[in-house]
């Protein structure tokens, strides 16, 4: 939890390439997020608690989808430092308000040790082409 970093309004879109159960996606997200959320909570700083409960809420919204077919998406739109809109198959399903979970989602895909180096590289390339920066400035 790098509380000195600034956040920017942004969206992460995960597209499904082959049909999978929502449970499969939820388990993958848990593998990526649980450790990061616990790291934030373990610091004991104000505003960084409650991540496990927020992750349970997120998991519930994903599981409601039942199944994702090829081409369907799961999206996270960060609208505040502590709020992310969850879109399942293009439809807004929840606004999850938790600073630790927001940080964990973005760290999982764009942080120093992303779950997919290819994902981060593709984002960096696209941002470079657009003439903007991915890296959040240090405070």
């Amino acid at each position: 939890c790098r509380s000195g970093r600034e956040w920017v309004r942004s969206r992460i879109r995960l597209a499904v390439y082959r049909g999978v159960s929502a449970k499969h996606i939820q388990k993958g997200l848990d593998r990526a997020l649980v450790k990061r959320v616990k790291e934030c909570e373990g610091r004991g700083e104000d505003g960084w608690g409650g991540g496990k409960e927020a992750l349970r809420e997120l998991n519930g919204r994903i599981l409601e989808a039942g199944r994702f077919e090829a081409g369907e998406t799961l999206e996270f739109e960060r609208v505040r430092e502590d709020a992310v809109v969850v879109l399942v198959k293009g439809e807004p399903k929840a606004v999850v308000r938790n600073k630790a979970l927001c940080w964990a989602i973005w760290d999982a895909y764009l942080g120093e040790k992303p779950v997919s180096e290819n994902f981060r590289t593709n984002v960096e390339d696209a941002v470079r082409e657009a003439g903007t920066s991915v890296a959040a400035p240090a405070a």
Side-chain angles (χ1 to χ4, degrees):
C1 306
R2 289 154 188 86
S3 57
R5 287 187 152 173
E6 292 184 29
W7 71 277
V8 294
R9 186 174 183 132
S10 52
R11 183 180 289 199
I12 292 175
R13 177 179 292 138
L14 306 174
V16 176
Y17 287 100
R18 62 178 170 83
V20 294
S21 69
K23 183 71 174 169
H24 179 80
I25 291 173
Q26 178 264 318
K27 283 183 177 182
L29 282 172
D30 265 5
R31 280 192 304 274
L33 301 177
V34 167
K35 182 178 177 183
R36 288 171 168 90
V37 166
K38 285 181 180 178
E39 174 188 334
C40 290
E41 290 186 336
R43 293 179 60 145
E45 294 178 23
D46 279 347
W48 289 91
K52 288 182 271 186
E53 293 80 10
L55 183 55
R56 272 195 287 281
E57 180 183 350
L58 172 64
N59 286 339
R61 298 298 182 203
I62 293 168
L63 291 172
E64 288 172 1
R67 184 165 178 81
F68 287 80
E69 299 301 335
E72 292 181 324
T73 59
L74 174 61
E75 300 173 69
F76 304 102
E77 182 176 3
R78 194 165 187 181
V79 294
R80 293 187 349 198
E81 181 181 27
D82 65 346
V84 62
V85 176
V86 180
L87 296 98
V88 176
K89 302 178 184 180
E91 297 292 324
K93 294 296 181 181
V95 177
V96 180
R97 289 182 173 85
N98 183 271
K99 195 173 181 179
L101 182 60
C102 289
W103 176 83
I105 293 168
W106 264 253
D107 187 67
Y109 292 98
L110 299 172
E112 293 176 23
K113 294 180 182 177
V115 294
S116 168
E117 190 61 45
N118 287 337
F119 183 91
R120 186 175 72 180
T121 300
N122 290 340
V123 170
E124 288 171 346
D125 290 347
V127 169
R128 233 184 325 279
E129 287 176 22
T132 58
S133 173
V134 171

